[in-house]
C-alpha cells in the first residue's frame, strides 16, 4: 500500500515492534485499555465480527495482520495463502481501528522461525487438528504469545470457528498467567451455512455448493444426539454422508466443550467438530450444543 493510500485509510499502520510499542505506551500512560484482534489478513465477515466486538468494548482497538509461517506445515499453503493487505485496510476503515500492526516475518522471527523460542500447550495441541497438522498449535501459541507481549492488550478476540485454537489460547493465558481476557465470537456463516474462512477462496465454484454439506452433517449429529441417538452411530452416519458428497474426512467427533475430552455419561456441554477435504481445500467446522436429558 502506498503512503498516499495509507493516509487515505486514516488507520495508522505500524510495521515494527518499536513503532507499535511507542503508540501503545502513549495510550497506556493516558490510562486507556486495549482490545486486540489478531488475524492473518484476507479479512471476511468472521474477522469483522471480532473487530465489532472489540469496538463494542469501548477500548482502543488494535488489529494485527501477519501470515505466521510457524503455523504452516511443510506441505501446506504458506506460499499461496491469500494476502490482500490493501483490501483488508479498506475493510477496516469502516470500523474504529486505532492501529494495525503488520510486521514482517523478520520482525517477528529475527533469528529465523526454526531458531525461535516456542510455546507448547500440551494435550490440547496434540489431538484432532494437532494430530493432522503437527506443530500447528505450537506455531499459533508462539505467535499469539509474542503478539500479546508486544501489544499488551487487556482483551483479545478469537472466533469460535477455530474452537480448538480458542481453547489452546485460553489454556496458554491461564498457564502463563497473562493478564488478558479472552473473548470468543460465534462462527459467522454464509447464507447457506458454510463457515466463513479465508481458505474458502480455494474452493472451485463447482465445489462451493457441496461444501455446505459439512455444516448439514454437523447439524444432523447435534439433532440426533439431542434426540437420544448414540453419538458414535450419529458420527458414523455423518462420515458416510461426507464421503458420499465427495469429502475426504479427517474426523467427525463429539467432545466436551470445556477441554475436548471424550464425553462420558452425564456430560452435557458438548461440541461436534469436523475436518474434511473437498478437492484441495481442507475445511473445519463445529457446533457447540447442550444435552437436556441424561445419555
Ligand atoms: O486464527 C488465525 O487467523 C491465526 O491462527 C492467528 C490467531 C491470527 C495466529 O496467527
Amino acid at each position: 500500500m502506498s503512503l498516499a493510500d495509507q493516509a487515505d485509510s486514516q488507520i495508522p499502520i505500524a510495521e515494527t515492534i518499536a513503532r507499535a510499542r511507542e503508540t501503545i505506551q502513549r495510550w497506556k500512560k493516558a490510562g486507556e485499555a486495549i482490545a486486540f484482534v489478531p488475524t492473518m489478513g484476507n479479512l471476511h465477515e468472521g474477522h469483522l465480527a471480532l473487530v465489532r466486538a472489540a469496538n463494542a468494548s469501548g477500548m482502543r482497538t488494535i488489529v494485527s495482520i501477519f501470515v505466521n509461517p510457524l503455523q504452516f506445515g511443510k506441505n501446506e499453503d504458506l506460499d499461496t495463502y491469500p494476502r490482500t493487505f490493501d483490501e483488508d485496510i479498506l475493510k477496516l476503515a469502516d470500523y474504529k481501528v486505532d492501529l494495525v500492526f503488520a510486521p514482517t516475518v523478520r520482525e517477528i522471527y529475527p533469528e529465523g522461525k526454526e531458531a525461535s523460542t516456542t510455546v507448547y500447550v500440551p494435550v490440547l495441541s496434540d489431538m484432532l487438528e494437532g494430530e493432522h497438522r503437527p506443530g500447528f498449535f505450537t506455531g499459533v501459541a508462539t505467535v499469539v504469545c509474542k503478539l500479546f507481549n508486544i501489544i499488551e492488550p487487556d482483551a483479545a478476540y478469537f472466533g469460535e470457528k477455530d474452537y480448538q485454537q480458542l481453547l489452546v489460547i485460553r489454556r496458554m493465558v491461564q498457564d502463563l498467567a497473562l493478564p488478558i481476557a479472552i473473548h470468543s465470537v460465534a462462527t459467522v456463516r454464509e447464507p447457506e451455512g458454510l463457515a466463513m474462512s479465508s481458505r474458502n477462496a480455494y474452493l472451485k465454484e463447482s465445489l462451493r455448493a457441496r461444501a455446505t454439506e459439512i455444516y448439514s452433517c454437523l447439524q444432523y449429529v447435534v439433532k440426533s444426539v439431542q434426540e437420544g441417538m448414540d453419538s458414535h452411530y450419529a458420527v458414523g452416519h455423518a462420515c458416510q454422508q461426507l464421503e458420499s458428497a465427495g469429502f475426504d474426512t479427517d474426523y467427525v467427533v463429539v467432545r466436551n466443550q470445556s477441554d475436548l475430552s471424550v464425553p462420558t455419561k452425564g456430560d452435557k456441554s458438548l461440541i461436534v467438530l469436523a475436518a474434511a477435504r473437498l478437492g484441495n481445500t481442507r475445511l473445519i467446522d463445529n457446533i457447540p450444543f447442550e444435552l437436556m436429558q441424561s445419555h
Side-chain angles (χ1 to χ4, degrees):
M1 173 175 266
S2 71
L3 281 178
D5 288 344
Q6 280 194 34
D8 276 355
S9 82
Q10 308 268 311
I11 303 177
I13 299 169
E15 288 174 359
T16 62
I17 296 172
R19 174 83 203 284
R21 280 196 167 136
E22 206 178 279
T23 308
I24 292 162
Q25 286 316 315
R26 222 178 330 113
W27 294 336
K28 292 215 169 224
K29 278 200 186 109
E32 296 186 88
I34 290 165
F36 177 44
V37 180
T39 82
M40 297 208 298
N42 193 237
L43 304 182
H44 51 64
E45 266 307 312
H47 297 109
L48 298 177
L50 303 179
V51 175
R52 277 194 289 275
N55 276 178
S57 72
M59 303 180 207
R60 290 273 185 182
T61 297
I62 301 183
V63 175
S64 66
I65 297 179
F66 178 65
V67 181
N68 172 33
L70 202 60
Q71 68 188 74
F72 287 78
K74 266 201 181 72
N75 300 317
E76 292 186 352
D77 53 344
L78 175 61
D79 294 339
T80 53
Y81 194 85
R83 288 160 171 88
T84 53
F85 189 74
D86 293 6
E87 288 94 319
D88 292 344
I89 298 297
L90 284 176
K91 285 179 187 165
L92 292 176
D94 290 341
Y95 299 86
K96 193 186 96 37
V97 175
D98 297 288
L99 182 70
V100 167
F101 180 50
T104 58
V105 172
R106 206 184 161 80
E107 185 74 4
I108 296 296
Y109 301 113
E111 305 297 332
K113 69 181 169 83
E114 283 78 17
S116 172
T117 299
T118 54
V119 178
Y120 167 60
V121 177
V123 187
L124 266 174
S125 295
D126 299 325
M127 59 173 80
L128 303 175
E129 280 306 280
E131 247 177 77
H132 291 274
R133 302 182 68 190
F136 169 66
F137 287 117
T138 294
V140 170
T142 301
V143 81
V144 171
C145 189
K146 182 144 188 177
L147 291 168
F148 282 176
N149 284 331
I150 296 164
I151 309 289
E152 295 183 63
D154 297 274
Y157 295 77
F158 293 86
E160 285 175 11
K161 164 162 180 292
D162 298 300
Y163 191 85
Q164 192 175 352
Q165 166 174 284
L166 172 66
L167 292 192
V168 166
I169 302 297
R170 281 194 199 285
R171 182 64 60 80
M172 174 187 81
V173 162
Q174 179 189 313
D175 288 353
L176 301 182
L178 302 177
I180 302 167
I182 301 299
H183 297 288
S184 68
V185 174
T187 303
V188 179
R189 300 182 180 279
E190 302 285 357
E192 69 283 6
L194 179 64
M196 289 205 184
S197 161
S198 300
R199 290 191 167 100
N200 291 353
Y202 300 152
L203 279 171
K204 292 203 183 86
E205 204 48 52
S206 56
L207 294 179
R208 243 190 127 79
R210 246 195 288 165
T212 60
E213 191 64 30
I214 194 161
Y215 183 50
S216 310
C217 283
L218 293 179
Q219 285 177 308
Y220 163 81
V221 172
V222 171
K223 186 166 180 291
S224 308
V225 174
Q226 280 179 329
E227 287 172 357
M229 188 188 282
D230 181 89
S231 65
H232 294 103
Y233 188 79
V235 157
H237 190 70
C239 284
Q240 273 172 14
Q241 283 287 109
L242 282 176
E243 299 285 328
S244 28
F247 283 84
D248 195 354
T249 310
D250 282 346
Y251 58 82
V252 180
V253 290
V254 174
R255 294 288 172 95
N256 280 309
Q257 273 176 40
S258 57
D259 58 3
L260 299 182
S261 60
V262 177
T264 54
K265 206 169 163 58
D267 289 340
K268 298 259 187 295
S269 291
L270 306 180
I271 180 167
V272 55
L273 308 107
R277 266 160 289 121
L278 188 59
N280 292 331
T281 313
R282 188 169 182 278
L283 300 169
I284 61 168
D285 201 352
N286 68 77
I287 307 180
F289 65 101
E290 302 293 323
L291 283 188
M292 296 308 166
Q293 75 273 31
S294 56
H295 284 268

